[in-house]
Amino acid sequence: MFVNDPVTNSIAPSWLGPTGGFQRVLIRIGAALFAPLCHPIVLLKSSRMERAPILYMKEIAYLILVAFGIPANVMTAAILCRGKCGLTRGITRYMVAMAMADLLVVILQVLLKEVYIPYTYNSFLSRSTMCPSYIYLRILALDCSVWLTVSFTFDRFVSICCPKLRLVYCTDRTAVVVIVSLCALSCLKYIPFHFMYEPYFIMDSVKWGCRHKTAYFTSIWWTLFSWMCNMSLSFLPIILILLLNGLTAMNIVAASRIRRRLKSLDGKDSEAENRRNAIVLLFTVSGTYILLWTTGAVTFIFTRITINFVGSDLTSPSTIANDVGILLIRLSCCSNTCIYAMTQSKFREEVKNGIKILTRFIVKPVKLARH
């Protein structure tokens, strides 16, 4: 017998009971590893439980994402706060804010939603009083992560393409104002999420779970709000990032040509080389964002235009595309750390130093204990 989780709409064997969360995680790992090798009729006694093979890999991917994403973002923020990566204070502010927002996304969207809640029944997050607030925090963290990436892209655009404005805008104080303003705007923008849901069911006079109200599917205002959320999270940021990066690239190419003509430099230009290296970080962060968000954005357009909302059929193309798109979106919250490591030599040096210090901190007590 299988039961349906009221918050995440996920299915789990009812014999697991309300306790034994660690056992459920182990069962989940085993199911994700061996389920694709078995026949679906043997694994799942209900046709509702059948799913595409690619969705089994999602179970392992989320566990890896949690194991890597949380320490990676904490390490990134700690290293950048030291200010030894050769970056200006303004850029450092943006990157630390991005790392902290990504950390919240991994905790709220992956650790709690995909690992903790589905296999921990009677959780306080499953109560109807907490469910809307929890969903609000999830979308809030994701929105902050997205628009901090856009603000970082705009800051680099001003720094390279607008020399006069750069003196006023590209400062530490402006970075703080922009970060605080974006977070405050995100908090206000998604307030309607608190009024979008109703209890999923009532058991022993306790309201559990939450689901969309009927008006959400029929009211034009809720439809507009849904489109506004998705425009704000995917379409508008992608358009702005493409536009700003395109203008920045054109400016860099034009400036490099003029510099070569004025100085008649046939060999290597150290200043132009440094400028190109500095902009690599911008293009890799922005490009990775666009690649990982495209699937989710296209899926939303397709499901809304065709009026084919994602349902409980885990074998339908719309469900597969939606789940893969969500996985890629959450993966983007861990990609920035890899980008820093690949493009910034000073960041790599700081990571090596941090690993050495951590190793000494662990090895020294072990040696003392042996003696």
Side-chain angles (χ1 to χ4, degrees):
M1 179 180 178
F2 294 85
V3 294
N4 188 25
D5 183 83
V7 178
T8 62
N9 199 32
S10 59
I11 311 298
S14 60
W15 47 266
L16 288 175
T19 59
F22 180 70
Q23 294 178 357
R24 298 190 190 98
V25 173
L26 294 179
I27 292 173
R28 184 175 190 176
I29 296 174
L33 286 173
F34 300 110
L37 304 177
C38 303
H39 196 277
I41 297 179
V42 177
L43 278 172
L44 307 173
K45 298 182 179 180
S46 171
S47 60
R48 185 181 178 187
M49 287 296 296
E50 295 179 1
R51 63 173 68 182
I54 191 174
L55 297 184
Y56 287 109
M57 302 306 299
K58 183 183 69 172
E59 307 290 335
I60 292 296
Y62 281 133
L63 294 173
I64 296 175
L65 200 58
V66 170
F68 174 78
I70 293 178
N73 282 296
V74 171
M75 178 188 66
T76 300
I79 291 176
L80 291 173
C81 286
R82 298 184 63 187
K84 296 183 179 181
C85 294
L87 303 173
T88 63
R89 294 186 64 182
I91 296 178
T92 301
R93 297 280 190 185
Y94 283 116
M95 289 188 175
V96 171
M98 290 165 59
M100 298 309 297
D102 291 345
L103 176 63
L104 291 176
V105 171
V106 174
I107 293 175
L108 296 173
Q109 292 270 1
V110 184
L111 177 61
L112 295 180
K113 184 178 185 297
E114 301 295 341
V115 178
Y116 174 73
I117 291 180
Y119 290 88
T120 306
Y121 298 103
N122 298 333
S123 167
F124 72 99
L125 293 176
S126 299
R127 291 179 177 269
S128 299
T129 54
M130 288 295 300
C131 183
S133 299
Y134 169 60
I135 296 175
Y136 171 78
L137 292 176
R138 276 172 25 206
I139 195 70
L140 178 62
L142 191 61
D143 187 80
C144 289
S145 176
V146 168
W147 283 101
L148 285 172
T149 303
V150 176
S151 64
F152 171 74
T153 305
F154 181 75
D155 181 87
R156 294 299 85 206
F157 165 76
V158 172
S159 177
I160 294 172
C161 301
C162 308
K164 294 182 179 179
L165 182 60
R166 175 178 57 191
L167 300 176
V168 179
Y169 185 82
C170 299
T171 61
D172 180 35
R173 181 179 180 181
T174 302
V176 174
V177 172
V178 170
I179 293 170
V180 173
S181 300
L182 285 176
C183 294
L185 182 61
S186 296
C187 292
L188 296 175
K189 185 165 50 177
Y190 296 104
I191 287 179
F193 269 85
H194 290 286
F195 310 99
M196 185 188 299
Y197 299 94
E198 62 183 5
Y200 194 87
F201 66 93
I202 300 176
M203 183 174 62
D204 297 331
S205 301
V206 179
K207 297 179 180 179
W208 292 96
C210 56
R211 61 183 176 184
H212 291 100
K213 294 180 179 179
T214 306
Y216 176 78
F217 302 98
T218 58
S219 173
I220 184 64
W221 299 110
W222 282 118
T223 302
L224 292 175
F225 177 73
S226 177
W227 274 97
M228 183 275 291
C229 292
N230 283 274
M231 289 290 293
S232 175
L233 280 172
S234 55
F235 302 113
L236 186 58
I238 288 176
I239 293 172
L240 290 175
I241 289 174
L242 286 174
L243 176 62
L244 293 173
N245 281 349
L247 295 174
T248 303
M250 292 173 59
N251 185 277
I252 291 175
V253 172
S256 299
R257 289 177 180 176
I258 294 174
R259 182 175 177 82
R260 289 194 186 97
R261 291 175 182 176
L262 292 176
K263 292 194 173 186
S264 300
L265 295 174
D266 296 329
K268 184 177 180 180
D269 187 351
S270 59
E271 184 174 340
E273 187 69 21
N274 292 333
R275 195 175 187 182
R276 283 193 295 269
N277 291 335
I279 208 63
V280 164
L281 179 61
L282 168 65
F283 284 108
T284 48
V285 170
S286 304
T288 303
Y289 169 83
I290 293 173
L291 289 175
L292 295 177
W293 274 80
T294 300
T295 302
V298 172
T299 302
F300 173 80
I301 295 177
F302 174 79
T303 54
R304 284 309 175 99
I305 291 179
T306 60
I307 317 180
N308 181 24
F309 293 95
V310 177
S312 58
D313 185 5
L314 301 180
T315 60
S316 66
S318 60
T319 301
I320 296 172
N322 181 71
D323 285 358
V324 172
I326 292 174
L327 174 61
L328 294 177
I329 288 173
R330 291 165 178 170
L331 179 61
S332 68
C333 296
C334 293
S335 61
N336 288 336
T337 302
C338 298
I339 291 171
Y340 302 154
M342 290 186 296
T343 60
Q344 302 295 313
S345 59
K346 292 185 178 180
F347 183 86
R348 292 195 297 269
E349 291 297 326
E350 288 296 315
V351 171
K352 292 178 182 178
N353 294 335
I355 293 176
K356 290 179 181 178
I357 294 173
L358 182 62
T359 303
R360 293 173 185 173
F361 180 78
I362 296 175
V363 171
K364 188 174 180 180
V366 173
K367 290 182 177 180
L368 293 175
R370 287 181 179 179
H371 288 299

